Amino acid sequence: MAKQKTLNIRRNTYERLQAHKQLGDGFNSVLVRLLDRWEGFYDLSE
Amino acid sequence: MTYPSDYIGIAISQETHRRLSELKEKNNEINFDSVVNRLLDLEEKYNMPTETFEYELMINSKKSKLFRVTYSDKVTIEYWNSNKLAFEKDIKVWFTGYKIPSNDLNAFIKFIIKDSNLGLLYEMENELVQNGVWIKRV
């Protein structure tokens, strides 16, 4: 992964992200998957 | 900027940072942590998988049991000491692992798994815990 940035998140958020990792995933892959799925629906009402 | 000690830094790509920044700005979020939590909330609410996971239970560094739970099942750990409930925790099935440290030679755990309808799937008790308990997804 070229040109990295550091994202600072709370420990609880880190653990939530960790739980969504699939085999071979890094955190960036998890976030990309979440963004691909949900960035167009971010303001979806509950 | 200095972050409080309960923050952890993770490496992401510039492109991912750009996309998160865009969501943060567009939705007036106070920080990136809020953005990530919102994405996780959406994923967990609307994309709940139906597959089954296998977990192994390791007590005192010995593998004890392999069991299966579905995503929506409720897993509760009860940690008993001298016939008193000392610790109880619900863990989400999608956690990849959970450890209870124990230095108390008299402690034992009661480990209960219940499905989403609170039907009992698995129960184990009276196992002495000297070296901790691991619940690990395999």
Side-chain angles (χ1 to χ4, degrees):
Chain A
M1 188 167 57
K3 299 224 173 164
Q4 292 182 19
K5 291 273 238 183
T6 300
L7 187 76
N8 288 289
I9 53 176
R10 289 182 188 280
R11 181 170 293 278
N12 184 55
T13 311
Y14 175 92
E15 287 171 3
R16 286 183 81 187
L17 271 178
Q18 184 101 343
H20 285 269
K21 273 188 178 183
Q22 295 170 9
L23 197 65
D25 266 353
F27 284 110
N28 191 71
S29 301
V30 180
L31 286 167
V32 168
R33 193 162 55 244
L34 291 173
L35 284 162
D36 286 348
R37 280 182 179 152
W38 299 112
E39 72 182 335
F41 301 95
Y42 191 85
D43 56 357
L44 192 69
S45 56
E46 299 293 325
Chain B
M1 181 177 177
T2 307
Y3 283 86
S5 59
D6 66 338
Y7 275 75
I8 299 175
I10 59 171
I12 61 172
S13 69
Q14 280 196 330
E15 173 61 10
T16 303
H17 191 270
R18 184 197 66 74
R19 292 170 79 181
L20 290 170
S21 297
E22 210 168 272
L23 284 174
K24 180 172 167 288
E25 297 305 316
K26 218 189 274 189
N27 295 279
N28 297 314
E29 296 283 12
I30 54 167
N31 55 33
F32 285 108
D33 187 78
S34 299
V35 176
V36 175
N37 272 290
R38 172 65 177 156
L39 292 169
L40 286 163
D41 289 345
L42 287 164
E43 174 78 359
E44 289 166 14
K45 183 172 180 178
Y46 295 109
N47 200 48
M48 188 176 283
T50 56
E51 63 260 41
T52 299
F53 296 97
E54 285 192 341
Y55 280 77
E56 68 183 14
L57 177 65
M58 199 179 295
I59 302 172
N60 298 328
S61 306
K62 288 191 299 182
K63 287 181 192 175
S64 177
K65 179 88 179 181
L66 194 66
F67 53 90
R68 290 192 177 88
V69 292
T70 58
Y71 195 80
S72 59
D73 284 339
K74 174 184 166 73
V75 181
T76 302
I77 304 165
E78 295 178 13
Y79 179 47
W80 291 69
N81 185 5
S82 301
N83 292 320
K84 289 181 189 170
L85 183 62
F87 177 85
E88 182 179 11
K89 185 170 178 72
D90 291 337
I91 62 170
K92 297 294 184 185
V93 171
W94 59 81
F95 275 11
T96 54
Y98 188 81
K99 184 175 181 181
I100 306 170
S102 169
N103 296 316
D104 188 334
L105 295 180
N106 294 317
F108 68 91
I109 63 141
K110 183 187 285 187
F111 181 62
I112 299 168
I113 306 172
K114 294 179 181 176
D115 66 16
S116 50
N117 295 316
L118 300 182
L120 189 65
L121 294 175
Y122 176 78
E123 182 173 350
M124 182 188 69
E125 58 182 282
N126 297 328
E127 183 81 29
L128 275 177
V129 177
Q130 296 170 309
N131 202 26
V133 175
W134 274 102
I135 298 151
K136 187 173 159 241
R137 198 170 84 197
V138 294

